[in-house]
Amino acid sequence: MKYLKYIITLFLIAVVTIVWIYYDKKNISIVSNEAGCDRKLTYAWTGLSEPFILGSAKAPSGIDIEILNSALKIVDCEAVIEDLNTLSWKRNLSLLSIGKIDLTLQASFSKEREKYANFSSPYRSEYIAIFIRSEDLKYEKFKISKIEDLSKYDFLLGVGLSNIYGPKVDGVIERMGSKIKRNKTVVKNRKALQAKLIDGYISYIPTELIKIKKNKLEDKIKILPNSIVKTGDVHLMLSKASTSETTLKKINNGIEKIKENGTYDLIMNNYSKQYQLPSVK
């Protein structure tokens, strides 16, 4: 009987060892919390950005929210809004940098941000345009063939306080020097344009077009011809202070999976009929 127990024990040890070696070679984790995230990830509510961020802090929706939730769900992760108050983009980045929140959406890559954050695979592209007063468009006060031509004019340009717009546009902003006027919000830039404190401002499309229409300003504010620029890809940005490389890999895996299984296309198609948005493959 003792020999039988001994043989059974050796057999079980051998089976466990074989299974462990098999999973190790396959680089598959058999630790339970490696199947998903070990806790809920947190992010902040930074306000509406139609059609990418819709709803409210209590019930968020929109393209970016649906992509985030779908990518996380497929790898057994979840994200929740940490604070129901609306935060500025600058405050949002500040909290991310110290790990008070884990991630943010709608993020463009920069070397400065890379110091405190990791970037997911891109999940869509982003475009900006310069918005001017309709009267200036009518009289062709500012006529450009490309955005770099702006530096030829005495053009006061409103930009976001903590925004980056990609190498091409950021280069134009740098060259324009004192002609750049920074405001905390697009709303302040829009009001500054109407008050003739600036000649134009940068904002994202189609979000700003939607806001102009809702404020019944279509006849007063127009896009400057030849000023639309693709600023680059949009990512999820994860705090290095509170998240790991493993979490980043899981999220990237989730983004890849929803693109492969048709979920991503379904989300984009649900909105593209109304907004005609490009996607990232």
Side-chain angles (χ1 to χ4, degrees):
M1 194 68 176
K2 290 182 180 180
Y3 289 111
L4 180 59
K5 289 182 179 179
Y6 178 72
I7 292 171
I8 292 173
T9 301
L10 289 177
F11 174 76
L12 291 174
I13 293 172
V15 169
V16 171
T17 303
I18 291 169
V19 170
W20 181 266
I21 292 171
Y22 172 79
Y23 277 98
D24 185 59
K25 286 183 177 180
K26 292 285 188 179
N27 290 319
I28 300 173
S29 173
I30 59 175
V31 180
S32 61
N33 66 7
E34 288 294 302
C37 300
D38 56 2
R39 62 178 176 81
K40 292 180 180 180
L41 301 172
T42 60
Y43 64 105
W45 178 254
T46 54
L48 298 176
S49 179
E50 190 175 356
F52 307 110
I53 307 291
L54 298 170
S56 65
K58 290 184 178 180
S61 60
I63 291 174
D64 287 24
I65 298 294
E66 289 192 30
I67 289 174
L68 171 67
N69 291 339
S70 297
L72 293 182
K73 184 178 180 180
I74 205 167
V75 291
D76 298 321
C77 295
E78 184 181 358
V80 294
I81 293 176
E82 175 74 5
D83 190 334
L84 298 182
N85 295 315
T86 302
L87 301 184
S88 68
W89 182 246
K90 184 178 181 180
R91 178 61 176 163
N92 179 48
L93 295 183
S94 177
L95 292 178
L96 186 83
S97 69
I98 59 176
K100 291 295 184 181
I101 56 174
D102 298 315
L103 64 86
T104 192
L105 303 96
Q106 299 184 295
S108 299
F109 174 83
S110 76
K111 288 291 185 182
E112 181 63 29
R113 292 175 178 178
E114 194 180 30
K115 293 176 183 177
Y116 59 84
N118 289 313
F119 290 80
S120 74
S121 302
Y123 63 88
R124 63 174 173 83
S125 296
E126 196 161 57
Y127 295 80
I128 61 94
I130 294 175
F131 293 83
I132 64 172
R133 290 179 292 273
S134 298
E135 59 193 73
D136 291 337
L137 179 63
K138 180 180 178 181
Y139 296 112
E140 296 187 340
K141 185 177 180 180
F142 306 110
K143 195 172 183 179
I144 65 171
S145 59
K146 57 185 183 300
I147 197 168
E148 289 87 346
D149 294 341
L150 271 183
S151 58
K152 297 189 300 186
Y153 296 100
D154 187 18
F155 190 102
L156 297 180
L157 179 64
V159 303
L161 187 62
S162 300
N163 293 86
I164 57 174
Y165 304 103
K168 179 186 287 189
V169 180
D170 287 344
V172 172
I173 291 172
E174 185 176 353
R175 289 192 294 275
M176 290 183 71
S178 62
K179 291 184 281 187
I180 296 299
K181 305 300 176 183
R182 295 190 179 273
N183 277 311
K184 288 184 178 180
T185 66
V186 177
V187 174
K188 289 187 176 181
N189 276 325
R190 198 184 305 131
K191 289 181 177 179
L193 179 70
Q194 293 177 273
K196 297 189 176 183
L197 298 175
I198 57 175
D199 298 302
Y201 64 92
I202 292 176
S203 192
Y204 297 98
I205 54 175
T207 300
E208 183 61 12
L209 289 171
I210 295 166
K211 290 180 179 178
I212 288 170
K213 185 176 181 179
K214 285 188 173 182
N215 285 282
K216 299 180 179 180
L217 295 171
E218 303 105 304
D219 295 333
K220 296 181 178 180
I221 300 176
K222 300 288 185 181
I223 290 178
L224 176 66
N226 301 315
S227 72
I228 296 176
V229 177
K230 178 182 176 182
T231 61
D233 293 331
V234 177
H235 312 257
L236 298 174
M237 191 160 60
L238 283 80
S239 172
K240 288 182 177 179
S242 63
T243 65
S244 66
E245 290 286 343
T246 301
T247 301
L248 176 65
K249 289 177 182 178
K250 288 173 185 171
I251 291 175
N252 284 338
N253 187 30
I255 293 172
E256 182 180 353
K257 283 184 176 181
I258 65 170
K259 288 183 178 182
E260 289 175 350
N261 69 12
T263 302
Y264 177 85
D265 287 334
L266 181 62
I267 293 169
M268 295 302 292
N269 290 338
N270 284 341
Y271 290 90
S272 65
K273 292 176 183 178
Q274 182 178 356
Y275 299 108
Q276 299 181 347
L277 298 167
S279 63
V280 176
K281 291 292 186 182

